[in-house]
Amino acid sequence: GALASASAPQPEWLDVPRMHEKQTVLLTLLQATCACLSDANIPCWVTGGFIPHDDDVDIECLKSDESRIEAAIARRPELSFRRGGLWKSW
């Protein structure tokens, strides 16, 4: 097949400077979230880490801590809480 021309736009996931900016923001949010949960003695863990072309980060907590998580995050105006992300069982 023909090679893409040098002037062809790159897919967003290949735009390293743009992804770096997004990942810097994500890292800041991750640090704030983990600090908030740690201050409330709520265990959490990062799953997967940063993938070079990924634009999100995944953290997990225990379902039994859901109300405590919501309360802890409600005390931090820079953060927000949203229910969701449950794994499907096959």
Side-chain angles (χ1 to χ4, degrees):
L3 295 175
S5 95
S7 62
Q10 286 186 335
E12 185 176 327
W13 61 271
L14 280 178
D15 186 349
V16 175
R18 183 179 167 119
M19 291 306 300
H20 178 61
E21 289 173 19
K22 286 182 178 182
Q23 288 179 338
T24 299
V25 170
L26 287 170
L27 180 58
T28 301
L29 289 170
L30 175 63
Q31 290 170 328
T33 301
C34 289
C36 173
L37 297 176
S38 177
D39 290 347
N41 295 314
I42 300 169
C44 71
W45 51 96
V46 176
T47 59
F50 280 126
I51 301 169
H53 61 273
D54 206 353
D55 63 355
D56 71 350
V57 62
D58 301 312
I59 63 171
E60 292 182 356
C61 301
L62 299 173
K63 174 80 172 148
S64 59
D65 287 328
E66 188 173 14
S67 62
R68 293 177 56 223
I69 294 165
E70 187 170 10
I73 289 178
R75 292 188 294 269
R76 301 285 294 267
E78 72 277 17
L79 301 176
S80 64
F81 178 78
R82 179 180 54 171
R83 284 179 176 79
L86 299 177
W87 289 96
K88 294 180 183 178
S89 31
W90 302 104

